[in-house]
Amino acid sequence: MLALRARRLFDGQEMRHDQVVIVEDGRVTGITTEVPATVDLGDATLLPGLIDCHVHLAFDASRDVVAMLEPPGLADRMRQAARQHLAAGVTTVRDLGDRDYLALGLDLGLDGPEILSAGPPITTPRGHCWFLGGEAAGEHGVREAVRERAARGVHVIKMMVTGGEMTPGTHSHLLQYGLAELRAAADEAHAHGLPITGHVHCAEGIAHVLDAGFDSIEHCSFFTEDSYAVDHAMIARLAAADVVVSLTAGVAPGPAPLPPRIQQRMAGMREALRAVQAAGVDFVIGTDAGIGPPKPHGVLPYGAEMLVEHGYAPLDVLRAITSGAARVCRVGERKGRIAPGFDADLLAVAGDPLSDITALRRPLAVYRMGRRAASLSG
Ligand SMILES: [Zn+2]
């Protein structure tokens, strides 16, 4: 039995004080003040392990991630990426685009985070990220693609609704699929009991996935052909809808600059972030870890920091990257909270993240199913 005490305990919903968390056989079995601690973490905060809703373990955060997709060694590089998440306190990741379903079979046990996976994202022929192997067209074609993924045992369906920045010949401000195809994919996913999320970079795409009944929206950005135009009416619609926006927050400091087309649109992206908060849109964070040098694996704490800098309440951000993310990833009955019966995926950080969100960058200990993870650097 492990009895963990820290000055503060964020249980996935609220901040509590001076509690002892009892862990047995990999699960939390109690929260009490009655039992002496076997491990006292001192002036620290114990939280549920963090959940990053959008990563790409197959991308290695280098300058040319597509070139690095080739075997041999890809699975090993993906394992290394997964371990980087765990070392940062991210105990569950949702991989929204791998190649050959590699992420789905990449079980590191307790040496890595729990990996939920979409397999290759569904995209149009030569569409965004076609090189991951998920090309499908037409209502029949996308239904077939969803069925294949369901048979493989994926945890979520990912669809490239618009083009994207990293794929030449595709355009972030243009739709790849029509409404009929999006509806067919959502209908098929739901028939298999799977959530469906859409990669969307323009307002028209956001309207389409809302109409099609998608469960969540990745990026949710407002690209136009040569600029960025935040659609406040659309953000009001998002707030009223039963949908969760996965904000692509989090940039690690370093010499690598953001791509020019992103830099040019950064002011607009910041405006959108603030507007999403002001409107009360339901959100989680999906960092897109792996897609380039500013997005190393384990970057999620920087995403939390970015949101707080844009006016989000720290408590809302902590909920979003724990219990909120668990709900979106459909693991809310066992992840994202510290409560009896929940998996003992835990993160201890120095200080208090409610008063200083950068505390998330200072992990003291990470537990995966009750077992303390070795730090990467140590
Ligand atoms: Zn992505």
Side-chain angles (χ1 to χ4, degrees):
M1 187 191 85
L2 181 66
L4 276 173
R5 185 195 166 280
R7 189 160 302 166
R8 287 163 297 273
L9 167 72
F10 174 69
D11 64 8
Q13 285 296 325
E14 305 295 339
M15 191 66 87
R16 302 160 68 177
H17 293 86
D18 296 314
Q19 304 289 316
V20 175
V21 177
I22 311 293
V23 174
E24 291 170 283
D25 297 328
R27 299 214 158 67
V28 174
T29 55
I31 299 174
T32 178
T33 53
E34 306 296 313
V35 174
T38 59
V39 177
D40 194 330
L41 296 157
D43 183 16
T45 304
L46 197 59
L47 308 98
L50 309 183
I51 301 175
D52 192 333
C53 293
H54 183 156
V55 310
H56 297 277
L57 297 175
F59 293 157
D60 69 348
S62 65
R63 283 179 194 283
D64 190 354
V65 294
V66 180
M68 293 301 290
L69 274 175
E70 297 305 321
L74 178 56
D76 284 339
R77 289 194 293 276
M78 291 172 73
R79 283 191 198 92
Q80 175 66 14
R83 283 192 290 267
Q84 285 174 356
H85 282 282
L86 187 65
V90 180
T91 53
T92 302
V93 295
R94 183 157 90 158
D95 190 298
L96 291 186
D98 66 359
R99 179 183 264 190
D100 298 333
Y101 297 90
L102 275 175
L104 199 55
L106 201 78
D107 188 1
L108 285 85
L110 303 186
D111 294 327
E114 178 157 332
I115 300 169
L116 308 169
S117 171
I122 299 172
T123 193
T124 48
R126 288 299 182 268
H128 180 44
C129 287
W130 62 269
F131 42 79
L132 294 176
E135 293 167 292
E139 291 174 59
H140 179 77
V142 298
R143 279 188 187 274
E144 197 61 35
V146 172
R147 280 197 287 271
E148 181 196 326
R149 284 156 181 74
R152 292 270 196 162
V154 301
H155 304 90
V156 56
I157 299 297
K158 163 85 175 295
M159 201 158 179
M160 300 302 202
V161 177
T162 68
E165 292 302 301
M166 70 186 289
T167 310
T170 78
H171 302 282
S172 293
H173 68 285
L174 295 180
L175 291 172
Q176 299 200 137
Y177 286 109
L179 186 53
E181 290 159 306
L182 299 174
R183 279 196 169 128
D187 179 60
E188 195 68 37
H190 293 153
H192 286 90
L194 289 169
I196 182 166
T197 193
H199 155 107
V200 186
H201 279 314
C202 70
E204 191 184 11
I206 296 170
H208 268 39
V209 296
L210 286 173
D211 289 340
F214 276 45
D215 301 282
S216 54
I217 306 177
E218 308 301 316
H219 315 303
C220 200
S221 36
F222 296 92
F223 278 68
T224 60
E225 187 166 4
D226 41 41
S227 183
Y228 199 90
V230 180
D231 182 337
H232 290 269
M234 187 62 72
I235 288 175
R237 198 181 154 196
L238 285 167
D242 184 18
V243 74
V244 180
V245 169
S246 179
L247 298 169
T248 315
V251 174
L258 291 168
R261 281 175 52 85
I262 301 294
Q263 270 178 24
Q264 288 155 15
R265 291 166 173 78
M266 212 54 215
M269 291 180 178
R270 292 182 186 285
E271 180 191 339
L273 265 190
R274 286 189 291 268
V276 162
Q277 190 277 329
V281 176
D282 196 3
F283 71 95
V284 293
I285 299 180
T287 62
D288 226 352
I291 56 158
K295 297 271 191 187
H297 292 284
V299 74
L300 181 57
Y302 290 96
E305 212 169 304
M306 178 183 275
L307 295 194
V308 171
E309 283 166 7
H310 287 79
Y312 290 67
L315 185 61
D316 290 342
V317 173
L318 292 185
R319 287 172 177 158
I321 60 179
T322 55
S323 54
R327 180 169 46 83
V328 167
C329 294
R330 305 274 172 99
V331 290
E333 74 295 341
R334 60 190 177 88
K335 303 282 187 196
R337 288 176 57 201
I338 301 178
F342 278 70
D343 292 350
D345 287 354
L346 306 168
L347 164 65
V349 300
D352 179 2
L354 281 189
S355 57
D356 175 12
I357 195 73
T358 70
L360 294 179
R361 282 199 258 126
R362 295 185 290 277
L364 294 172
V366 180
Y367 293 86
R368 180 80 168 88
M369 299 299 285
R371 198 186 81 176
R372 189 162 180 170
S375 80
L376 266 192
S377 52

